[in-house]
Amino acid sequence: MRAALPRHTRAWYILATSDELTRAGDKPLARELFGKPLVLFRGKDGTAGALLDRCPHRNVPLSLGRVVKNRLECAYHGWQFDSAGVCGFIPSLAGPSEGRGRRAPALAVRERQGFVWVYGAFDEEPRSEPHRFEKIDSPGYTTVSRQVEAGGTLCSTLENALDVPHTAFLHRGLFRTESRGITISAKVRATAQRVEVEYIGEPRPPGIVGKILSPSGGMVTHYDRFLLPSIAQVEYKIGEENHLLVDSVMTPVSDFVTRIYAVVSYKMRIPGFILKPALEPLAMRVFAQDARILERQSETIKRFGGEYFMSTEIDIIGKHILRLLKAAEAGESTPDESHEVALIV
Amino acid sequence: MRAALPRHTRAWYILATSDELTRAGDKPLARELFGKPLVLFRGKDGTAGALLDRCPHRNVPLSLGRVVKNRLECAYHGWQFDSAGVCGFIPSLAGPSEGRGRRAPALAVRERQGFVWVYGAFDEEPRSEPHRFEKIDSPGYTTVSRQVEAGGTLCSTLENALDVPHTAFLHRGLFRTESRGITISAKVRATAQRVEVEYIGEPRPPGIVGKILSPSGGMVTHYDRFLLPSIAQVEYKIGEENHLLVDSVMTPVSDFVTRIYAVVSYKMRIPGFILKPALEPLAMRVFAQDARILERQSETIKRFGGEYFMSTEIDIIGKHILRLLKAAEAGESTPDESHEVALIV
Amino acid sequence: MRAALPRHTRAWYILATSDELTRAGDKPLARELFGKPLVLFRGKDGTAGALLDRCPHRNVPLSLGRVVKNRLECAYHGWQFDSAGVCGFIPSLAGPSEGRGRRAPALAVRERQGFVWVYGAFDEEPRSEPHRFEKIDSPGYTTVSRQVEAGGTLCSTLENALDVPHTAFLHRGLFRTESRGITISAKVRATAQRVEVEYIGEPRPPGIVGKILSPSGGMVTHYDRFLLPSIAQVEYKIGEENHLLVDSVMTPVSDFVTRIYAVVSYKMRIPGFILKPALEPLAMRVFAQDARILERQSETIKRFGGEYFMSTEIDIIGKHILRLLKAAEAGESTPDESHEVALIV
């Protein structure tokens, strides 16, 4: 048995923020996706390009080079490549520069809402468009973006972001406290593109987070969603006026490294300038606890040569993530499905 | 040809001192045996438990968790395991907690004379009991215990502890000096459980050690013994009143790491409070020299992809160690054997 | 496809300077060739010996030992080996010390012009003699020797030392500047032992180096040569009075580590005491740039599991290096060959 490492390359992943790429100027950015080194650069015309980070000539990383006009120049012999990977100039050479073997494999790029997305399959025409962050520009909403890196597989990191039972233990006292013995119901709805879990009967969280979110208490509408290829979406509505939408878009950097671009949009009774200073350190502490566990989980999986996971019915969303990713990787579709699970909180 | 790595798991090995485990309180101890990560914990009732250090649920190390009553609780989702490895509680789960796949493999544990021993085979009933330190509580004897770690295989570390010829070189001036050309006789007696070498005609050691042990000189009774599964025993009698017994119980942590729990019992003319300050730094210096050699030997073996050892008749005990361990691993028995070897000291 | 790693062992390589070995005294030097650990020592009679760095007894590195008379003594049990690898003494052993399995594999050694050379094949009679540095003792010439280590394969490091087009990019402003669009001709002459490239019509280098070498300008006679097994030779004649000969003798330490012993002999109009302080920092800066590229190239090759090089006609010398080394390794000979290539500088 091996670690769950589906590689759904025919999909969009974030490699950088627009700001990072702009700030880099004529220096390209070295990135990694599915364990493959990539180089990201912005031509003088503003267009972003993404190539395999290896010069076809002598296999030096192109990320050591610099941007010259709209092309990326290799630091070793000065070969120049455009955003399609075509070699447009070879210094000292009397003949033509272009040639089949002289191409650098290229990825399609889209720049949207402040993020630079690439389509994970080399030299292919994308069959879809990147995810849109729904509330990023909506009136009344505040949006905060952050990125962090976790030492876990894509599947483990996604499951961690969407798993409810661990919060009572790992994040003891932050999200939740010890169980109060209340049985709630989780309604699971899976399609070929996503899985949604709706929690019915959930009381206001009793920890610090709950007190900040809803000082007056009240029932909670809570959805956890996995959206192909790598998005963990958590949505909370508390009362009429409070709405929180967290999109954690994950980049499978390599087998055991996952980068998370989190976009948090919220509309709250409490003004953002009060909420933010309280929530951000809290979120970072929660993430640090998760990151530590994911890293130690990865070590154990590597040491034993694979995952040996034993699930129960309350491991609601993990198996769906794996099933959808494997089907997507194989170009197949999964049938719609729904069921209900009891959960003690 | 490979490194000599017999794995005799159906036997007892020390994983910690009783003190270490008690001091850890409700935090478990992470340990390793034959390259397998283990977790050692003491329940509130005082009983020690040893489990494979991997939660069967999501493969996080159980050693990240804490002791709750008599069970060990995983840090990620709070699953709880008793010292037999049975899962007794799963938070948030409405149904029963126990289940075949929810067990953590367990090792039998014995706590004796201040040490915590485990039987190296998972989920098996021990067929033997741990080694007893003979003089630990004997009147007139002083006992000192120390633990150190060596970067050698179990076999190389055992051989090093029982090898006489190397002491004149590696420990030049400490144990022995350059050869004085005296021929002595080594009588070897091997059974299925142990090998004993008795040195006949050995003069008092001429180095510092000899001067401390026996200021007035005199003949020496000297035995070196290997006791299955991993004990190097050195016994010296100098004159009527001096007796020294060193049991080095070795734990095969991983292929090239061996932990040594040394228990030194002695009865000497010179009072212990004088002897101890002189002997301990000396012993540590000897060990540091051995440890350096074992580490470099391991590096060389790994680099060449195996051991290529060329022995002579004065490599008395090494081949017996390997033969006994291999037979024991296969559940076989070796015939009794005895012979005599000449040795120039 | 794999990295280009021909292993031409039946040839001479430098392992140390004579000075280094003399300064080591009775401590041997640990070295490496084609990934094999070696030990180099000088007996009390002044003769150098080179053995596999592993005692045949218990596989401890012999380089931990010391020289005793004309033999190398192992630090563990004191076995002693002469420069032919024969075991001449085993302490404590009553019988004879010599024996077939007790030998340490040995390499032929030559000490010439201040360097210690070994023949790369164990226990073989050399079929050739080491390279001679032509101008090292010639009147009117100044000679400077330096050694540096590069993180590249032997072939990549040789190609780098003899490649002209990269200098305009990697060493921008040092050797050359941006292209001036002058077409020159490179005449290639290959035999079974060497490849020579003569550059016809090359103007004085425009960078700093050019200004120092030839303040008054003038045409340049420039040869780049690869000499089997591992020598990159660069020769410049500028005007009548200036002559520069750089022999970079390379030692294939391991697959991706190459040690370079550079011997620079020159005869210049400008006196050496003025030239040297200017040239040495410049050469070191050029080397640092090359070393960085070679190291990153190696990383990329390892990461992708092999070299994927795409050459053009101006990659003049690399393919010859590989062809000659492969033929030499197989004990074959390559036919003479010559052609001409146009190059824009």
Side-chain angles (χ1 to χ4, degrees), chain A residues 38 83 94 178 187 208 217 230 244 273 302 306 343:
Chain A
L38 302 177
S83 64
E178 301 285 335
K187 285 194 173 177
I208 296 169
S230 63
L244 173 73
F273 71 89
K302 284 182 217 168
L343 204 71

Side-chain angles (χ1 to χ4, degrees), chain C residues 187-247:
Chain C
K187 286 195 173 176
V188 185
R189 284 179 288 264
T191 70
Q193 290 300 317
R194 49 144 67 191
V195 194
E196 181 181 272
V197 185
E198 185 185 353
Y199 294 91
I200 313 284
E202 189 175 8
R204 195 198 67 169
I208 296 169
V209 177
K211 277 178 192 138
I212 291 167
L213 286 179
S214 173
S216 53
M219 291 306 272
V220 173
T221 312
H222 170 195
Y223 294 93
D224 285 346
R225 300 184 189 95
F226 164 64
L227 317 177
L228 271 178
S230 64
I231 300 164
Q233 190 174 66
V234 175
E235 185 171 13
Y236 269 98
K237 285 180 189 167
I238 305 175
E240 288 300 301
E241 289 164 303
N242 297 313
H243 186 205
L244 173 73
L245 186 67
V246 182
D247 283 4

Side-chain angles (χ1 to χ4, degrees), chain A residues 159-160 163 165-166 169-170 172 292-293 296-297 300 303-304 307-315 343-344, chain B residues 32 35 37 52 54 56-61 64 66 73 75-79 90-94 101-102:
Chain A
E159 185 183 34
N160 172 270
D163 172 69
H166 86 278
F169 279 87
L170 191 56
R172 196 174 278 132
R292 175 168 167 262
I293 283 288
R296 300 301 308 274
Q297 181 191 38
T300 307
R303 236 183 134 165
F304 282 87
E307 289 175 4
Y308 296 79
F309 287 178
M310 172 57 53
S311 296
T312 71
E313 62 266 32
I314 58 171
D315 293 303
L343 204 71
I344 302 169
Chain B
E32 204 180 338
L52 188 66
R54 181 185 65 176
H57 179 222
R58 281 298 177 266
N59 295 180
V60 161
L64 292 181
R66 57 170 191 175
E73 178 191 81
Y76 196 0
H77 293 86
W79 290 30
I90 297 177
S92 301
L93 185 68
R102 295 176 189 168

Side-chain angles (χ1 to χ4, degrees), chain B residues 159-160 163 165-166 169-170 172 292-293 296-297 300 303-304 307-315 343-344, chain C residues 32 35 37 52 54 56-61 64 66 73 75-79 90-94 101-102:
Chain B
E159 185 183 35
N160 172 272
D163 173 70
H166 86 277
F169 279 87
L170 191 58
R172 195 175 278 133
R292 174 169 166 263
I293 283 288
R296 299 301 308 272
Q297 180 191 39
T300 308
R303 240 185 128 163
F304 282 87
E307 288 175 6
Y308 296 79
F309 288 176
M310 172 57 52
S311 296
T312 73
E313 61 267 32
I314 58 171
D315 294 302
L343 205 70
I344 302 170
Chain C
E32 204 179 338
L52 188 66
R54 180 186 66 176
H57 178 223
R58 282 297 177 267
N59 295 181
V60 160
L64 292 181
R66 57 170 191 175
E73 179 190 81
Y76 196 0
H77 293 86
W79 289 32
I90 296 178
S92 302
L93 185 67
R102 295 176 190 167

